Amino acid sequence: MTATAPSTVLTARALLLDMDGTLVNSDAVVERVWRRWAERHGLDGDEVLKVVHGRQGYASMAVLLPDRPMAQNHAENARLLAEETADMDGVVPVPGAPEFLSFLRTGGVPHALVTSADVALSTARMTAAGLPLPAVRVTAESVGASKPDPEGFLKGAAELGIAPADCVVFEDSGAGIAAGRSAGMRVVGVGDRARAYGPDAWVPDLTELRLETAGQGEVRLHVG
């Protein structure tokens, strides 16, 4: 009989949740939109997709087209956001996400959505996936810097009134994991993409996570 490795147990007072790849599987849309963008700019689609996950579009463009004025990146990002918001084909919840969010809501666990999407796109994708929007949301409009900058996670913690060290981040991308770490938070990686970036704990999806309230406003996470 093969021994099963014990799960990682983390205790937190608040959870900060990325959206794309963490709660919502939107990879099909992201791939369609960014491959078209890559073709328009004569770039390799596979290489572009290695960059775009987790970042706001303008920040991805700044990495991929470093000599282009940032004003052009912001203008083109606005068009891409509209394109993505109009395309919900293939947007589905990450396995376990409905139950996960239900536990947080009914258990009164402080949590916030911290996403690189704007209000329109995050609302559309969460709705398409059949997921409730958390009461506290930090979107693209809320911050001045994209992940991997920690601003979004720090703002989420501040809005919840919880110290960064008492927060656990759920993320799928390298940029998001770096942002969580820079914010002084522990990070649970979700999905295959996250595993390569060495998060504090990792799950293939949210069905591999067990939560329980621990008293004194804490939640205990059994990961794996």
Side-chain angles (χ1 to χ4, degrees):
M1 181 180 293
T2 302
T4 301
S7 64
T8 300
V9 180
L10 302 174
T11 301
R13 298 180 67 84
L15 306 184
L16 303 177
L17 315 173
D18 174 53
M19 181 182 71
D20 292 303
T22 302
L23 299 173
V24 174
N25 183 345
S26 56
D27 282 0
V29 181
V30 171
E31 181 159 339
R32 283 195 293 272
V33 169
W34 281 97
R35 282 192 183 279
R36 287 196 297 264
W37 181 88
E39 188 174 356
R40 289 196 295 271
H41 291 279
L43 298 174
D44 181 88
D46 291 339
E47 294 304 311
V48 166
L49 288 170
K50 291 177 183 177
V51 171
V52 301
H53 292 289
R55 292 179 170 87
Q56 291 191 45
Y58 76 85
S60 296
M61 293 172 193
V63 172
L64 294 161
L65 298 173
D67 297 326
R68 193 166 79 159
M70 189 59 79
Q72 283 184 246
N73 295 336
H74 281 284
E76 192 167 28
N77 184 46
R79 294 193 291 272
L80 255 64
L81 283 169
E83 220 179 304
E84 289 185 271
T85 304
D87 184 356
M88 292 295 124
D89 188 21
V91 173
V92 295
V94 166
E99 296 80 5
F100 177 50
L101 289 173
S102 177
F103 177 91
L104 299 183
R105 188 173 66 255
T106 59
V109 178
H111 62 287
L113 189 71
V114 181
T115 175
S116 293
D118 63 6
V119 169
L121 181 57
S122 58
T123 301
R125 282 188 176 161
M126 291 288 282
T127 300
L131 299 175
L133 279 161
V136 176
R137 300 185 288 277
V138 179
T139 62
E141 297 94 337
S142 310
V143 297
S146 169
K147 299 171 186 176
D149 191 281
E151 181 186 359
F153 287 124
L154 291 171
K155 187 161 190 175
E159 291 196 24
L160 293 172
I162 305 295
D166 291 327
C167 296
V168 168
V169 165
F170 282 73
E171 264 287 357
D172 75 300
S173 70
I177 290 169
R181 285 202 168 126
S182 294
M185 301 172 184
R186 293 154 294 158
V187 182
V188 175
V190 180
D192 291 339
R193 194 159 43 233
R195 197 170 197 175
Y197 298 98
D200 297 285
W202 176 83
V203 288
D205 60 47
L206 296 171
T207 64
E208 298 295 322
L209 177 73
R210 184 167 63 85
L211 299 91
E212 59 182 356
T213 53
Q216 299 184 327
E218 292 184 335
V219 60
R220 190 173 292 120
L221 315 171
H222 298 263
V223 185

